[in-house]
Structure formats: structure tokens, C-alpha cells
């Protein structure tokens, strides 16, 4: 979980990157950074915190140049220190590189051991540093060839923007796990995790950076190279279910419309007699709209969100969790008292947040509560960049739907089936990574890496 942006050919590239990162803030709230170049000189600013806190007019004015890369970080690997804030910035001989990465490699630890054995010194605990070391090692063959060789060695999920002095380069793993879109901006180019970043700066969405593609953007325009190949696609379906912004297009498709279809599929599978449908906001909003429309039931907001609180699962300690759920969402007693409600949410992960929310609407007077989840039970951890806990903490890994219903103190619980999910996705299940539901990992996970996560 991270957001990345690259800008080429705009006289205020840093400002464009800043606005883009602002739109991508939901993808990471831990740190933010921008590196710019005028083709010769490179400048950087990175800090822990939200985009609006990390940058101001003054810091942006210190970032001159027509090329920029930026990053917002949500840590899935590596700890929370300023050293791990991206873009990752290095000088190698006469070349300066700044790299921003979204996704998780599954063999970074092995590559790191090998590089260390060969004498490499690492400054951070990030996967991205491994990528930079591999690039540097192959650089004498030229940049595109070095990227190609690096892509042959790294395994897993990566959507990357790279500033290499006078060039902006974007490349993406051949499975296309994480999104990466290409747009046009006043004759220049922009690359971002999601198209919501384009809308804010009025850039035009052209297409996605293709899985396995290397895109080089420089004074000569845009050149596409084939980087790596895979025998299938594996777009993360959880980006559609939860992570991406509903106004974005990812993998060429609008997220809002996808989520609405999940709600319609829920209605096809489970018709409830309820007084109204309500979401757990905001994650459940769009599936709830789809469900209500398809089931012909009224839609209400039975619980109100305080928008000035971050996503609760970002909080580090378990003891703060209940508190942060309550500051974030408050039930509307007037609407709930004595009513039969159908609550829609996107997913259940640990179950703890939902339990507190269900209790809160019961205490507010709801008389009967059914819950519809717009994806199947999440049973397996993600190794490609979504921050799911270990298998032991995933409620559906060890408990049946009936056990979960009882734990959540619900009258009814229904999860969307895998078939329903795929129908919402247009029937072509082969283009998605569904590992969190099925345990079939498109890129094999190293035994050493999976042991802890599976067993705890
Ligand atoms: P819980 O009841 O604790 O499983 O929390 C469920 C809520 O957490 C849902 O509204 C999800 O949208 C949200 N959520 C989504 N992704 C994650 C994640 N990776 N870790 C924790 N919670 C998540």
C-alpha cells in the first residue's frame, strides 16, 4: 500500500506531484516525499506525516525542475523511520536516481542477502533499495537493459517510477499486481497509481502502464520497451474492493462502478427484508448503493463518519483500536431506533472493528441487524503489498461464517461468493489475483517468508 506519481515536462513539476500525492493520500499516510530534477540538478524533500504537513510553499519552492517523482508511504515492509521514506534517492558515479515503489517483492530478502554477500551496504530496510542496487550493478549495459535485468531478478508486485537525471521512467511487474496509469498534462506526461491524481491537476488519462512494460519519458517523448513477461495477469482485486478511490480508474475500469456491481451481486445472492440498507462508511458506501438499488430498498446513512480521523487500522496498538472506531463513526439514533437494518461493508479482516460498529448500532436502538460483505472471506495473507495481518489474525482463516456471525452478534451474515465477485468483475477471473480468498498465489512465495505469516 503506497501511492506513487511521476511528472515530466511541467515547469512546476514539484507542485503537480504535490497535488497528485494529495489525491493519493488514502494510499499511505505515514510519510511523503518528492524528488525533482531540471535535467542536471536534483533536489529532494521527504518527511514523516501527511502530504499537507510535509510540504508547504517554501519546501515546494526548494524543488525546482520539470521532472518529479513522489511517494506516499504506508509501511508493509520496513519500519517507520524517515530513512524508509521514499522516493529512495541515491547517487552512483555521475548518475542520480530517485525511485518510488508501490508493491511488495517476495524475494527481496534473498536478493538482499546475496547483494550483501557481494559487498553491498544497505541504508534502509526497504525492498526498493534492493531494486536500486540491482539497477546500479547492471548500469554499464544502459539504463533500459539494466531495468530489464532487474525485472528478471525481482519477483512479486512492483509499480515503479524512477527519476534518472533527465528522464522519467515507469515500469510495472508483468502480472500487473498494482495499478499504474499514464496521463498527459499540457504536452508533458504524468504517471500515477490512480487516475484521481490526474483529475486534480486536469491531466488526461491516456492508458495504463502495461504489465511488464518499461516506459521511458524524456525530451524525445515517450518510448515503450518490453521489460518482462508473465503467463498471466494478476491485478489485485482488493484494490477494487477496498483500497483504491472510487473516482479512480484502475486497470482501465472505474472503481465506483465495480463496487456498485458487487452490491448488485450481493442482492442477487441474498435478498433481505429490511427497513433500509446502510453502509459502514466510507468503505461500504458503493456496494450498499448497488445493493439498495437492486433490492429496491431505501438507503440511509445510519452511522456518520468523522472525516478528520485517519483509517483506524493505521493505528499501531490494539488498545487504541476501539477508541479510534468510536471517534470515527457515530450512529444516528433517530434513524436506527426500532428498525431492521441491512448493513453493507466491503470486507472483514480481523472482525474487531466490525464488532464494535455492530454493537454501536445495536446500542443506538437497531432492532435486527443483518450484514452483507461485498467480498468472500479473507483467509490468506497478502504478500504483494496489501497490509493484511498474519493468518492467525484473519478472522475467516480459522472461523466459519456462522462462528463469525455469532462473534459479531449479528442476526444474519452473508459474504459475497467468489463466483459473485468474478461476475462483478466481468467473469474473467484469470486477470485477478484472488490469493487472499483462495490461497493460490500467482507468484510463488518463498517458504522462509511464508512460514511466520502462515503459522502465527
Ligand atoms: P475488521 O472488522 O476489524 O475486520 O475491520 C473491517 C474494516 O476494515 C472494513 O471496513 C475494511 O474496509 C477495513 N479494512 C480494509 N483493509 C484492511 C486491512 N488491510 N487491515 C485492516 N482493516 C482493513
Amino acid at each position: 500500500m503506497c501511492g506513487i506519481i511521476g511528472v515530466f515536462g511541467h515547469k512546476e513539476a514539484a507542485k503537480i506531484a504535490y497535488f497528485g500525492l494529495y489525491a493519493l493520500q488514502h494510499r499511505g499516510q505515514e510519510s511523503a516525499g518528492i524528488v525533482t530534477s531540471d535535467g542536471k540538478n536534483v533536489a529532494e524533500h521527504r518527511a514523516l506525516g501527511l502530504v499537507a504537513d510535509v510540504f508547504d510553499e517554501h519546501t515546494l519552492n526548494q524543488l525546482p525542475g520539470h521532472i518529479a517523482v513522489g511517494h506516499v508511504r504506508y509501511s508493509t515492509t520496513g519500519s517507520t523511520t524517515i530513512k524508509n521514506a521514499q522516493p529512495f534517492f541515491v547517487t552512483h558515479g555521475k548518475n542520480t536516481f530517485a525511485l518510488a515503489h508501490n508493491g511488495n517483492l517476495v524475494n527481496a530478502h534473498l536478493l538482499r542477502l546475496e547483494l550483501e554477500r557481494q559487498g553491498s551496504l544497505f541504508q534502509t530496510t526497504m525492498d526498493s533499495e534492493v531494486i536500486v542496487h540491482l539497477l546500479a550493478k547492471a548500469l554499464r549495459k544502459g539504463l533500459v537493459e539494466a531495468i530489464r535485468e532487474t525485472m528478471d531478478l525481482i519477483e512479486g508486485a512492483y509499480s515503479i517510477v524512477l527519476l534518472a537525471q533527465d528522464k522519467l521512467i515507469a515500469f510495472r511487474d508483468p502480472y500487473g499486481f498494482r495499478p499504474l496509469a499514464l496521463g498527459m498534462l499540457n504536452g508533458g506526461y504524468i504517471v500515477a497509481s490512480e487516475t484521481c491524481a490526474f483529475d486534480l491537476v486536469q491531466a488526461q488519462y491516456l492508458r495504463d502502464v502495461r504489465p511488464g512494460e518499461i516506459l521511458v519519458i524524456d525530451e524525445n517523448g515517450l518510448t515503450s520497451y518490453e521489460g518482462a513477461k508473465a503467463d498471466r495477469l494478476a491485478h489485485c482485486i482488493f484494490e477494487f474492493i477496498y483500497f483504491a478511490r472510487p473516482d479512480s480508474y484502475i486497470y482501465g475500469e472505474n472503481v465506483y462502478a465495480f463496487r456498485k456491481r458487487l452490491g448488485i451481486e450481493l442482492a442477487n445472492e441474498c435478498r433481505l427484508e429490511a427497513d433500509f440498507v446502510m453502509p459502514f462508511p466510507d468503505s461500504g458506501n458503493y456496494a450498499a448503493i448497488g445493493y439498495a438499488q437492486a433490492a429496491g430498498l431505501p438507503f440511509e446513512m445510519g452511522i456518520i463518519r468523522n472525516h478528520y480521523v485517519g483509517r483506524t487500522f493505521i493505528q499501531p496498538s490494539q488498545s487504541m483500536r476501539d477508541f479510534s472506531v468510536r471517534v470515527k463513526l457515530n450512529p444516528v439514533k433517530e434513524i436506527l431506533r426500532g428498525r431492521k437494518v441491512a448493513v453493507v461493508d466491503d470486507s472483514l479482516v480481523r472482525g474487531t472493528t466490525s464488532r464494535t460498529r455492530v454493537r454501536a448500532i445495536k446500542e443506538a436502538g437497531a432492532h435486527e441487524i443483518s450484514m452483507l460483505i461485498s467480498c468472500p472471506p479473507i483467509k490468506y495473507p497478502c504478500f504483494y503489498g496489501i497490509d493484511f495481518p498474519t493468518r492467525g489474525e484473519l478472522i475467516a482463516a480459522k472461523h466459519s461464517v456462522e462462528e463469525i456471525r455469532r462473534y459479531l452478534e449479528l442476526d444474519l451474515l452473508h459474504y459475497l461468493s467468489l463466483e459473485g465477485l468474478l461476475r462483478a468483475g466481468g467473469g474473467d477471473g484469470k486477470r485477478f489475483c484472488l490469493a487472499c480468498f483462495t490461497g493460490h498465489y500467482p507468484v510463488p512465495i518463498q517458504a522462509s517468508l511464508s512460514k511466520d505469516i502462515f503459522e502465527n
Side-chain angles (χ1 to χ4, degrees):
M1 287 171 160
C2 284
I4 60 173
I5 185 143
V7 180
F8 187 96
H10 194 286
K11 62 181 187 317
E12 289 186 306
K15 273 208 177 133
I16 299 293
Y18 166 77
F19 290 126
L21 290 182
Y22 209 98
L24 297 173
Q25 185 76 78
H26 62 289
R27 297 186 70 86
Q29 299 84 21
E30 195 176 276
S31 69
I34 296 175
V35 177
T36 58
S37 168
D38 61 6
K40 289 195 181 79
N41 304 304
V42 179
E44 64 162 332
H45 182 72
R46 295 174 296 147
L48 296 178
L50 298 175
V51 178
D53 301 326
V54 169
F55 297 99
D56 56 23
E57 281 287 340
H58 176 73
T59 46
L60 287 171
N61 288 336
Q62 307 291 310
L63 297 170
H66 62 286
I67 318 172
V69 289
H71 189 265
V72 282
R73 174 173 164 82
Y74 176 89
S75 68
T76 48
T77 60
S79 46
T80 312
T81 70
I82 182 64
K83 269 195 164 179
N84 281 348
Q86 291 197 17
F88 186 73
F89 179 68
V90 285
T91 304
H92 175 77
K94 286 195 202 117
N95 302 300
T96 307
F97 297 104
L99 181 139
H101 171 200
N102 175 212
N104 256 23
L105 303 185
V106 296
N107 66 341
H109 58 306
L110 296 177
L111 293 168
R112 175 185 287 257
L113 282 178
E114 179 56 25
L115 285 162
E116 280 177 337
R117 204 183 56 74
Q118 293 174 20
S120 292
L121 300 171
F122 282 88
Q123 300 169 30
T124 73
T125 53
M126 288 184 298
D127 288 5
S128 321
E129 193 175 1
V130 172
I131 300 174
V132 172
H133 275 272
L134 293 172
L135 279 175
K137 271 171 74 80
L139 210 54
R140 68 199 135 71
K141 298 176 189 165
L143 190 54
V144 171
E145 194 47 41
I147 294 172
R148 217 176 254 143
E149 282 192 13
T150 302
M151 288 171 90
D152 278 344
L153 291 170
I154 58 180
E155 290 171 14
Y158 54 91
S159 282
I160 290 176
V161 287
L162 174 72
L163 188 161
Q165 217 86 14
D166 60 346
K167 293 179 174 57
L168 172 70
I169 295 155
F171 57 103
R172 190 171 172 209
D173 69 74
Y175 295 85
F177 278 104
R178 302 274 143 239
L180 193 61
L182 168 71
M184 198 147 189
L185 177 69
N186 302 334
Y189 290 98
I190 180 164
V191 178
S193 298
E194 294 180 33
T195 60
C196 63
F198 298 169
D199 299 337
L200 194 57
V201 297
Q202 296 185 307
Q204 230 185 313
Y205 172 45
L206 292 176
R207 64 172 175 89
D208 280 2
V209 176
R210 294 186 191 101
E213 184 180 30
I214 304 169
L215 260 185
V216 178
I217 306 169
D218 58 17
E219 292 303 331
N220 303 320
L222 194 86
T223 318
S224 167
Y225 299 88
E226 196 176 285
K229 276 194 191 147
D231 53 2
R232 57 162 291 181
L233 289 174
H235 299 319
C236 169
I237 201 158
F238 208 67
E239 292 269 357
F240 273 129
I241 293 166
Y242 169 74
F243 197 46
R245 250 172 66 161
D247 46 341
S248 287
Y249 288 74
I250 56 167
Y251 321 124
E253 232 184 295
N254 175 241
V255 177
Y256 186 122
F258 194 104
R259 284 185 195 161
K260 235 180 119 178
R261 289 203 300 274
L262 294 174
I264 295 168
E265 289 301 333
L266 270 175
N268 291 337
E269 289 184 2
C270 182
R271 277 301 156 105
L272 291 171
E273 279 184 29
D275 290 322
F276 62 83
V277 178
M278 60 169 268
F280 276 158
D282 288 333
S283 53
N285 287 359
Y286 313 95
I289 293 171
Y291 185 85
Q293 288 181 2
L297 288 171
F299 177 88
E300 302 280 2
M301 295 300 284
I303 196 161
I304 301 299
R305 176 167 172 187
N306 175 349
H307 281 271
Y308 303 95
V309 188
R311 286 185 182 183
T312 52
F313 64 90
I314 302 290
Q315 309 298 329
S317 71
Q318 189 69 26
S319 59
M320 285 171 68
R321 189 174 292 271
D322 270 12
F323 170 75
S324 44
V325 167
R326 273 181 290 144
V327 266
K328 199 168 127 183
L329 294 177
N330 196 28
V332 187
K333 297 190 186 77
E334 187 65 27
I335 296 287
L336 292 164
R337 205 174 292 129
R339 312 302 293 280
K340 268 191 192 175
V341 298
V343 180
V344 179
D345 203 2
D346 68 297
S347 58
L348 284 173
V349 182
R350 292 182 175 85
T352 47
T353 321
S354 306
R355 184 170 147 111
T356 315
R357 292 171 177 178
V358 171
R359 275 200 179 157
I361 55 174
K362 194 165 279 173
E363 278 165 21
H367 154 72
E368 220 179 280
I369 307 172
S370 302
M371 194 164 176
L372 301 155
I373 304 294
S374 70
C375 72
I378 298 172
K379 295 186 175 173
Y380 301 91
C382 177
F383 297 95
Y384 311 122
I386 294 284
D387 183 36
F388 286 147
T390 58
R391 193 154 147 80
E393 287 174 278
L394 287 170
I395 191 165
K398 302 263 165 74
H399 296 282
S400 67
V401 175
E402 173 54 19
E403 284 167 343
I404 300 169
R405 183 195 68 76
R406 265 188 269 135
Y407 171 75
L408 297 180
E409 299 167 8
L410 290 164
D411 295 290
L412 180 144
L413 171 64
H414 178 81
Y415 280 95
L416 184 65
S417 67
L418 192 61
E419 296 71 34
L421 176 68
L422 294 179
R423 267 196 304 275
D428 181 11
K430 289 200 192 83
R431 70 189 168 116
F432 290 117
C433 174
L434 303 164
C436 52
F437 308 123
T438 62
H440 300 309
Y441 291 94
V443 173
I445 309 302
Q446 311 286 339
S448 57
L449 184 68
S450 61
K451 192 167 172 283
D452 285 353
I453 300 180
F454 272 115
E455 288 180 0
N456 288 324

